[in-house]
């Protein structure tokens, strides 16, 4: 298993009390498979991704990413694990306005201290894999919303992550483009062997994912494998 959450509980301060965002959540995601996470707003979906990404430390429970128990790591080691082993696709692409599509990806190599020039080949290969081979030199304002989301996804794959975490990638897209992005994510999950978790509140097309986890009030209430 590439991503393992075991009995994870996460609380946030809430006045004098604590709000339970995740309540004893356990989830295992094998390499090369995609688990969708569904549930109403506020049910803990983004919190689950944040914990899996080591962006927040749970109060209790264990998070194992690519064989590494994250609790054993210091902040700097967690940051390195995140950079090297985890790809994160947020809802909003957050592309840098002055960089071309290829440069957005090359910048990831720079952040990891890898040679940026050598990264161009890999950037172009990934842009090709997301159907943007001919858009490599465009800046964000020269791309459609769907194309920007594809750049966002390609960028998350730049450092060959073992775990790919995607938060509502289709929410800003129409039905057809949303389906195409899901197809793309499933294909990339298979070819790049990532353990992928995708939050969505679009229940369409969920028959094509490997498993669906339902969240409610911080609890994982159902896990259906498809
Ligand atoms: P979802 O993504 O399913 O909408 P979230 O994981 O964002 O749900 O939120 C789960 C619960 O935790 C909500 O009640 C939300 O208000 C709360 N929450 C999320 N992030 C924070 C935070 N940084 N500080 C305090 N409460 C938060
Ligand atoms: Mg959310």
């Amino acid at each position: 298993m590439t991503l393992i959450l075991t009995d994870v509980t996460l609380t946030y301060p809430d006045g004098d009390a604590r709000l339970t965002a995740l309540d004893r959540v356990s989830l295992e995601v094998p390499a090369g498979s995609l688990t969708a996470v569904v549930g109403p707003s506020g049910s803990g979906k983004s919190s689950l991704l944040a914990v899996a990404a080591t962006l927040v430390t749970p109060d209790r429970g264990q998070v194992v990413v690519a064989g590494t128990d994250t609790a054993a790591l210091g902040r700097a080691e967690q940051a390195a694990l995140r950079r090297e082993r985890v790809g994160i696709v947020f809802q909003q692409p957050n592309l840098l306005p002055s960089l071309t599509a290829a440069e957005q990806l090359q910048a990831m190599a720079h952040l990891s201290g890898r040679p940026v020039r050598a990264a161009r080949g890999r950037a172009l290969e990934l842009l090709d894999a997301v159907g943007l081979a001919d858009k490599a030199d465009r800046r964000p304002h020269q791309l459609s919303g769907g194309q920007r989301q594809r750049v966002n996804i390609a960028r998350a794959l730049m450092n060959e992550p073992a775990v790919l975490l995607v938060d509502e990638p289709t929410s800003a897209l129409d039905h057809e483009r949303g389906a195409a992005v899901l197809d793309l994510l499933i294909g990339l999950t298979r070819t790049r062997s990532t353990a992928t978790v995708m939050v969505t509140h679009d229940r369409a097309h969920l028959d094509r994912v490997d498993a669906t986890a339902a969240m409610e009030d911080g609890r994982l209430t159902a896990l259906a494998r498809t």
Side-chain angles (χ1 to χ4, degrees), residues 121-221:
R122 176 159 175 78
L124 295 179
E125 184 256 319
L126 279 169
L127 288 173
D128 185 33
V130 300
L132 294 177
D134 57 338
K135 306 282 190 288
D137 296 320
R138 294 214 184 169
R139 297 192 160 74
H141 73 274
Q142 299 165 315
L143 296 167
S144 71
Q147 290 167 344
R148 283 197 288 269
Q149 190 56 283
R150 283 165 186 270
V151 174
N152 197 18
I153 290 166
R155 180 175 60 176
L157 292 166
M158 194 60 192
N159 291 339
E160 298 175 79
V163 172
L164 181 62
L165 305 169
V166 192
D167 203 349
E168 305 213 27
T170 62
S171 61
L173 306 177
D174 61 34
H175 189 77
E176 205 175 309
R177 287 194 176 80
V181 165
L182 178 58
D183 280 340
L184 174 64
L185 282 170
I186 291 173
L188 292 169
T189 296
R190 305 273 187 264
T191 57
R192 319 260 154 187
S193 276
T194 55
T196 304
V197 181
M198 180 189 74
V199 167
T200 181
H201 58 228
D202 184 2
R203 281 185 175 264
H205 322 296
L206 285 186
D207 52 321
R208 302 214 300 279
V209 306
D210 299 295
T212 301
M215 299 282 303
E216 215 173 295
D217 287 333
R219 283 173 301 115
L220 202 161
T221 53

Side-chain angles (χ1 to χ4, degrees), residues 21-45:
L22 294 174
D23 188 0
R24 289 162 291 164
V25 170
S26 296
L27 182 67
E28 298 192 346
V29 187
S33 79
L34 188 151
T35 296
V37 178
V38 298
S41 178
S43 58
K45 305 183 298 297

Side-chain angles (χ1 to χ4, degrees), residues 39-175:
S41 178
S43 58
K45 305 183 298 297
S46 293
S47 296
L48 189 152
L49 289 193
V51 162
T54 75
L55 288 167
V56 295
T57 305
D59 301 48
R60 282 190 299 284
Q62 193 183 43
V63 179
V64 178
V65 173
T68 302
D69 182 351
T70 59
L73 305 178
R75 296 308 298 177
E77 290 169 314
Q78 280 190 358
L81 178 79
R82 201 155 53 234
R83 214 164 46 228
E84 303 297 333
R85 309 304 285 142
V86 181
I88 308 175
V89 179
F90 292 110
Q91 212 165 335
Q92 296 302 327
N94 287 323
L95 300 176
L96 297 163
S98 62
L99 299 188
T100 66
E103 288 165 351
Q104 311 278 346
L105 274 62
Q106 288 173 259
M108 294 301 287
H110 176 69
L111 291 175
S112 302
R114 298 179 194 186
V116 172
R117 250 170 199 280
R120 178 145 182 108
R122 176 159 175 78
L124 295 179
E125 184 256 319
L126 279 169
L127 288 173
D128 185 33
V130 300
L132 294 177
D134 57 338
K135 306 282 190 288
D137 296 320
R138 294 214 184 169
R139 297 192 160 74
H141 73 274
Q142 299 165 315
L143 296 167
S144 71
Q147 290 167 344
R148 283 197 288 269
Q149 190 56 283
R150 283 165 186 270
V151 174
N152 197 18
I153 290 166
R155 180 175 60 176
L157 292 166
M158 194 60 192
N159 291 339
E160 298 175 79
V163 172
L164 181 62
L165 305 169
V166 192
D167 203 349
E168 305 213 27
T170 62
S171 61
L173 306 177
D174 61 34
H175 189 77

